[in-house]
Amino acid sequence: DRGINVSPLLAKQLFDQLGGPGGKITKQQMDELLKKMDAMADASTVTWDMLGDKLGCMTIMKRVLLAAGAGEPFNVDDFVFAQKMSFTIDTIQFMNKLSDRDVPWDDRVRAMEQLGANLGTNPLFNNVLAKGNIPELLCGWATQVLDNKPEVQKTAIDTLPDVFHNAMEFGDKDIAVGYLEEVLDNLFKVLDDPNATKNHKPAKDAIAKIIDDIVKTGDPESILVVSHILAEKCDIENANNPQTRETALVNLQRIMFGDDTNPIAKNLKDKNKKEPPPNVFQN
């Protein structure tokens, strides 16, 4: 009502820093914070590191309260990003490195490590999860999964499940699921590659984590998409290695016969239930 705009992700990060993940703060703690905020200069400059500590978040909150008190419109995300515009650009450059095979392999590993460690937690990386960037992010990551350099492939496989999760939760679920085929297809290609045996188990683990994430959404359409992909991988025409086909089959069975949090499994169980015949002889 007072013209204060803030994204849900940034708001959560600010309040988590102030009140902890539980989002609770005692009256005494609040009084102490208010005293510290009163002692701050109104024109304090927000820096990159401020989002990582309580004092920095207090500085941002004070700017919010000043704007609210004056009845002025204030966009918190724009304010934070404007303080470190050069770093905002760098986050996109990290992503761009993943779609350029001419970039040295160690630079691509560092880019994945930075993105993997900050997506979903550091507000300065929020722009990477914008709708228009999700396709390039996921396709670039999937490309690194097939890299010939073991270090690149291992890093890409290990970090891909969390990146996909953040793209769904903090970006756009429908767009992320739309690129699920590229993501899973490349992980299955690793399983089908006899020269990548060291990464077979990490690839299996990554596939299972991504599928679990899809199932937890409870979205029937998304679950049908992943089921279709797995069904194709059970075919010998699409997977040469028997262990690759077995991995697809095991995960498909988990979807179909899992617990009741999975709408497809629950639907199948409901269909198999036989209602007892009505008692035509009333007592």
Side-chain angles (χ1 to χ4, degrees):
D1 293 340
R2 294 181 179 271
I4 305 298
N5 294 309
V6 59
S7 67
L9 175 57
L10 180 56
K12 181 179 184 301
Q13 289 160 338
L14 287 171
F15 283 106
D16 279 356
Q17 188 62 251
L18 291 173
K24 295 181 179 179
I25 186 170
T26 65
K27 184 178 184 303
Q28 181 180 354
Q29 290 173 322
M30 178 57 75
D31 290 340
E32 291 175 357
L33 286 175
L34 291 173
K35 287 180 181 178
K36 291 180 180 179
M37 290 170 70
D38 286 340
M40 292 179 183
D42 291 347
S44 296
T45 301
V46 176
T47 65
W48 173 16
D49 295 328
M50 278 186 169
L51 289 167
D53 61 52
K54 188 171 294 188
L55 189 62
C57 289
M58 287 163 48
T59 305
I60 297 171
M61 292 299 292
K62 180 161 188 178
R63 295 298 295 267
V64 171
L65 294 174
L66 287 171
E72 299 173 351
F74 187 72
N75 188 300
V76 185
D77 293 71
D78 289 348
F79 172 74
V80 172
F81 291 137
Q83 304 303 310
K84 199 69 180 181
M85 182 56 71
S86 61
F87 185 77
T88 302
I89 296 172
D90 284 345
T91 62
I92 296 298
Q93 289 175 348
F94 284 139
M95 183 183 71
N96 291 341
K97 289 181 179 182
L98 303 184
S99 57
D100 187 352
R101 296 301 292 270
D102 292 331
V103 173
W105 71 267
D106 53 338
D107 280 352
R108 283 180 278 134
V109 167
R110 280 193 291 269
M112 286 188 286
E113 289 173 343
Q114 286 293 323
L115 290 167
N118 288 283
L119 288 176
T121 57
N122 188 336
L124 293 172
F125 282 74
N126 287 1
N127 59 331
V128 177
L129 296 174
K131 291 183 179 181
N133 291 330
I134 292 175
E136 184 177 349
L137 175 69
L138 294 180
C139 287
W141 222 283
T143 299
Q144 304 309 311
V145 167
L146 297 181
D147 197 88
N148 293 327
K149 195 73 175 175
E151 294 89 343
V152 176
Q153 186 177 81
K154 181 69 163 56
T155 302
I157 292 172
D158 288 345
T159 52
L160 183 51
D162 285 341
V163 170
F164 187 82
H165 171 83
N166 288 324
M168 284 202 305
E169 183 172 355
F170 302 117
D172 187 284
K173 180 178 72 66
D174 292 335
I175 294 177
V177 171
Y179 287 86
L180 188 60
E181 185 167 2
E182 285 83 351
V183 169
L184 288 180
D185 190 53
N186 283 7
L187 286 170
F188 274 104
K189 284 179 181 177
V190 172
L191 290 181
D192 233 20
D193 183 359
N195 298 317
T197 53
K198 288 184 178 180
N199 285 328
H200 282 185
K201 186 181 184 305
K204 286 182 182 180
D205 293 342
I207 290 169
K209 288 178 182 178
I210 291 172
I211 291 171
D212 283 345
D213 227 8
I214 293 292
V215 171
K216 286 176 182 177
T217 67
D219 177 36
E221 290 187 10
S222 299
I223 295 174
L224 284 173
V225 169
V226 74
S227 299
H228 176 72
I229 295 170
L230 292 173
E232 287 188 338
K233 298 304 177 185
C234 293
D235 192 329
I236 194 171
E237 293 184 0
N238 299 316
N240 297 320
N241 189 336
Q243 291 183 351
T244 305
R245 299 194 297 274
E246 180 186 19
T247 299
L249 182 59
V250 167
N251 282 284
L252 187 58
Q253 289 174 330
R254 287 172 56 229
I255 290 176
M256 296 180 67
F257 307 111
D259 59 36
D260 290 345
T261 59
N262 177 348
I264 291 182
K266 185 177 185 301
N267 188 43
L268 287 172
K269 288 180 181 178
D270 291 343
K271 285 183 178 179
N272 290 329
K273 286 182 181 177
K274 293 184 178 180
E275 296 293 334
N279 184 4
V280 294
F281 300 104
Q282 301 295 329
N283 293 331

